Structures are given as C-alpha cells and as structure tokens.
Amino acid sequence: MISVEEARAYILRYFKPLETEYVSPDEALDRILSEDIVAPLAVPPHDNSAMDGYAVRAQDIAGASAQNPIRLNVVADLAAGYMSDVAVTTGAAIRIMTGAPLPPGADTVVRFEETSEAVSQKATGKGNPFVEILSAPKRGDNVRRAGEDVRAGEIILPKGSKLRPPEIGLLASVGCARVPVHRQPRVAILATGDELAEVDEPLAPGKIRSSNEYANAAAVIKAGGIPIRLGIARDNLEDLTRKIRAGIDAGADLFITSAGVSVGDYDIVKDVLNREGAMHFWQVNMKPGKPLAFGLIGAMPLLGLPGNPVSAIISFETFARPAILTMLGRTKFARPYVTAMLQDRAENNAGRRNYIRVHVARNDAGEYIATTTGEQGSGILTSLSRANGLLEMPPDVLAYKPGERVKITMLDYPEEN
Ligand code: AMP
Ligand code: MG
C-alpha cells in the first residue's frame, strides 16, 4: 500500500497552472493572478481633501483658536470630481468637499467643525463670503497625498495572489479592466454503477440514489473548478467506454469517476481505464478511501475515486482538490487547522491513516472542543455532514483519549454567531 503523501505527490506531478485568460474585475473573485499587476498611475492620482471643510494655507491660520478666530475670504466652492480654477492666496480659503483635489496654493484643510460653519450653519455655509477659522491644524492635516495608497509603477498585487473583494477593488482603483488569471479547470464527473439512480428518477427495488456525482460536482465548484456532468455509466464495457470518451470530447482538464476501482466482480472501471489509457490502481494507506485510480487517458489525467460516499469525498479532498487548486495557480492547499480538546475517544485499528469526522465548537472559555460525529463507516454520509473538521490519525497512532489536544483540519470555518 502506498501512503497518502506518496499518492498525492505522484498525482500532483501531472498538474500545473492553466494558461492565462483575461476577465473583468466582476468575474475575478477567488481567481488567482497569473501575472504581477503594476499600477500605471498613482492612487489617489492627486492631493485631495480627506474632510469636508476649508482648503487654506497653514501659515495664514497659525495661532487660530475659538478665542482667537481668524477670518478668511471664501473665494470658491469645490466639489469632488472638479479641479479648482482659482488658487488659495494669502487670506483666502476655498470651501472643499471630501475627495476634491486640493486647490493650488492650499496645503491644509480645516474641518467644518473647526470653523464658524459649525457654530452657525445659517450664518455661514455655502455662498458665504467669509469663514472664521477656530483652530490651527498642522500643515498637511486632512490632506490625502497623491500616491499615498499606491505609487505609479509599483507592483500592487504579485502573481499568485488570490483575489478577494479588497484585491478586486485595488485592481479597479488602478484601472485594471482585464485581469490576468489562470483559467478555471473543467472537471468531468462520472458516476459508475448498475445500482445508481439519479436524484429525480423513480427508485426501483435494489437501486440507490447516486450521491457522489452531486457531492463531487459541488466540491469541484467549491475548489474553483467548473464541473462537466456526465451522469451515470453502467457497469458494462460499452456504456463505460462511451461515457469516458464523452468526457474526453468535452475537453476536460481532469476526469473524476467514482466507484468500480475496488476488487469486486463488476469493478470494470479498471478494465476500461486500462484499455483507454495508462492507469495506476492503488491501495492508498488511508481510511476511509483505500482504493484509488490515477492515470492518463491521452493527455487528460483521470482520478478514479472510491464509491462509498464518505470515501469519495475524503479522497476528493485529499487528491482532487489539490489538483484543482494547482491548475488554478495556487501553490498551497493545506486547510487551516485548530488545536482542539478531544471530547471522546478516537480509535484507529486499521493501521492506516484514519480520517475521523469531528465537529469543532468553542466552549465558554474560548477553547476549541472537538466531538466525533458518531458512526464512522465509509457509507455514513451523515457523519461528514455533521462534521466541520477532520481529525487525521497517522497509521501508527492507535487511539486518542478524551481530553487530549489534537490538531483538527477545518473543512469549514463557519461564523460563530
Ligand atoms: P464500488 O466501488 O463500485 O464497489 O462501490 C462501493 C460502494 O459505493 C457501493 O456500496 C456502491 O453502491 C456505492 N456507490 C457507488 N457509487 C455511488 C454513488 N454515485 N453514490 C452513492 N453511492 C455509491
Ligand atoms: Mg460498483
């Protein structure tokens, strides 16, 4: 049996970041930059007011206070979006709104609250020919300097950055209308099995619903890929061959099958994959999820996940998600983890890497507490549904006792309130 690490390292050698495509900032959320982004201009592009107030010359109002108001002539009103065609000369002020470019001659802004405008809105305000200044801010106060956020020519976001809302805003702020990102991988999803029925089909005796294709498609989307649904292939050579060829024709970057890679009589996925491509079949030293296939059909990598629903999802998490993230341009794929106090006993009798499903919550003292989610069979999908984390038990660790501090890989990091 090969280890999880060996299998993953082997698989990831076949993946690299996909080519660049250009998308609008509206389409760029959660994508990965494929090039450095250099700012063609400064942000802000001009010195501007950080407050609603009066643009003045600091030297004119030195010593101003409520007891010693200094009167200035108001020579203009300036709104955001407009350049002033008047300068601030000695003894003058321009009434200025937040974001308006600082007029020539001015070096400081006095907030309305520190002028006569605060004292009597009616007596002063827009159109008033003079204003009294009631404080003496330092030169440059309430002025935002050109380039204080971004300097022209600066790399604002390096290649490899994940684009969250702040990065999307940053891209827009420098006028990046075509954002270079790695193309999203297209992932073909095929379920196999004579026993499977789609979610909306009548359920004949002896049949079960196919859940893997739905869970896998959702996991592809969550990882940042685009699922291509190929439905169910029956356990016969013709149907399986046809559906696998359909996936190739669909131009998938990765093909994911579920079931049929074990040692049963009708596990013919192995035969078909061997005939159509060059495949490895492994027993990976993990529980759940021992059987796994990986190989190439033509140039397309194919990952054959086990059929049991919990095995399928944990194998996807362990092997398919890193492959998808790699194609998206990500170089790290370990989930965040917490150290939690284990509430109940966790056992590992199989000598394999055991993925125990746990729910992590914080107690009143603010400590993370991990509780196993019950029956841990590979067909018990509810055990994963109740979980938000995985406790990985290495092959040589036989048990964790209640009260032990353990590392939990967080699958979800939900809001606490
Ligand atoms: P197999 O690897 O084909 O022997 O399948 C292992 C187990 O997974 C069997 O109990 C199958 O019925 C079940 N299984 C296979 N495919 C699916 C699927 N798409 N959805 C839910 N269960 C499945
Ligand atoms: Mg089967």
Side-chain angles (χ1 to χ4, degrees):
M1 260 197 281
I2 68 169
S3 71
V4 170
E5 290 77 8
E6 284 168 320
R8 184 163 48 210
Y10 186 97
I11 289 169
L12 288 182
R13 282 211 300 275
Y14 290 87
F15 294 91
K16 59 177 185 337
L18 298 179
E19 68 277 8
T20 294
E21 67 175 0
Y22 292 88
V23 299
S24 80
D26 283 324
E27 300 161 320
L29 184 64
D30 287 338
R31 303 291 290 274
I32 309 296
L33 279 180
S34 60
E35 294 165 20
D36 293 345
I37 302 295
V38 175
L41 46 77
V43 181
H46 41 254
D47 292 354
N48 68 95
S49 180
M51 292 287 171
D52 299 322
Y54 287 87
V56 301
R57 294 150 52 90
Q59 66 193 58
D60 290 358
I61 58 164
S65 68
Q67 293 71 39
N68 177 33
I70 291 178
R71 175 180 283 220
L72 299 174
N73 294 320
V74 180
V75 294
D77 266 287
L78 191 58
Y82 302 94
M83 300 299 290
S84 177
D85 43 19
V86 198
V88 174
T89 52
T90 303
I94 286 180
R95 196 165 181 274
I96 193 168
M97 301 300 123
T98 304
L102 202 67
D107 53 24
T108 305
V109 171
V110 186
R111 304 183 303 139
F112 282 154
E113 292 85 333
E114 288 158 7
T115 69
S116 49
E117 190 144 330
V119 180
S120 167
Q121 190 71 43
K122 219 156 71 195
T124 59
K126 187 166 174 152
N128 200 287
F130 67 88
V131 65
E132 287 184 342
I133 305 296
L134 310 179
S135 77
K138 289 197 306 293
R139 181 189 304 275
D141 271 7
N142 303 318
V143 174
R144 299 189 284 220
R145 290 287 165 209
E148 73 174 18
D149 191 3
V150 172
R151 293 185 311 281
E154 176 187 359
I155 294 179
I156 51 161
L157 292 169
K159 166 185 173 158
S161 300
K162 182 174 177 180
L163 302 177
R164 307 167 305 160
E167 286 78 29
I168 303 282
L170 205 46
L171 290 166
S173 77
V174 300
C176 182
R178 294 173 72 246
V179 185
V181 292
H182 294 287
R183 179 171 70 74
Q184 289 175 282
R186 293 159 53 78
V187 183
I189 308 272
L190 179 65
T192 72
D194 276 0
E195 74 275 38
L196 302 178
E198 295 287 10
V199 71
D200 52 356
E201 268 182 311
L203 198 62
K207 309 293 181 186
I208 61 163
R209 300 255 179 240
S210 168
S211 63
N212 291 344
E213 27 171 337
Y214 297 89
N216 284 341
V220 165
I221 295 171
K222 197 135 194 213
I226 301 168
I228 306 168
R229 295 289 296 276
L230 300 171
I232 298 167
R234 299 305 170 192
D235 289 326
N236 62 73
L237 294 178
E238 301 70 42
D239 196 34
L240 202 49
T241 305
R242 189 152 38 86
K243 299 263 163 66
I244 285 183
R245 289 186 182 160
I248 299 168
D249 293 345
D253 300 293
L254 168 63
F255 198 129
I256 292 180
T257 64
S258 77
V261 291
S262 195
V263 293
D265 288 349
Y266 299 94
D267 290 340
I268 56 160
V269 173
K270 296 208 273 192
D271 305 324
V272 175
L273 295 184
N274 261 332
R275 232 177 40 187
E276 298 290 312
M279 300 297 299
H280 291 282
F281 297 89
W282 290 321
Q283 302 225 305
V284 182
N285 195 23
M286 63 192 286
K287 179 190 171 185
K290 186 163 69 171
L292 189 76
F294 178 73
L296 299 179
I297 298 188
M300 180 185 64
L302 184 144
L303 192 54
L305 303 181
N308 281 306
V310 178
S311 309
I313 293 176
I314 291 188
S315 300
F316 185 105
E317 171 73 18
T318 309
F319 305 109
R321 179 175 173 271
I324 292 171
L325 295 188
T326 300
M327 288 190 276
L328 283 166
R330 304 229 342 226
T331 52
K332 294 180 179 169
F333 34 76
R335 301 264 193 191
Y337 68 84
V338 299
T339 303
M341 195 204 291
L342 190 60
Q343 189 81 338
D344 39 10
R345 192 177 165 81
E347 296 201 342
N348 183 16
N349 298 326
R352 293 188 254 153
R353 176 170 294 270
N354 200 343
Y355 294 80
I356 306 275
R357 282 76 86 191
V358 299
H359 185 265
V360 175
R362 249 201 264 256
N363 67 11
D364 292 342
E367 301 156 332
Y368 289 112
I369 304 293
T371 313
T372 64
T373 58
E375 174 55 48
Q376 297 281 314
S378 59
I380 311 291
L381 199 46
T382 47
S383 71
L384 254 184
S385 173
R386 291 194 196 102
N388 57 6
L390 292 176
L391 166 58
E392 287 186 36
M393 300 185 72
D396 55 340
V397 172
L398 298 182
Y400 287 125
K401 293 186 283 300
E404 267 193 73
R405 301 209 160 267
V406 290
K407 177 177 159 181
I408 306 292
T409 301
M410 298 302 290
L411 299 173
D412 276 300
Y413 226 119
E415 292 77 10
E416 296 198 357
N417 274 302

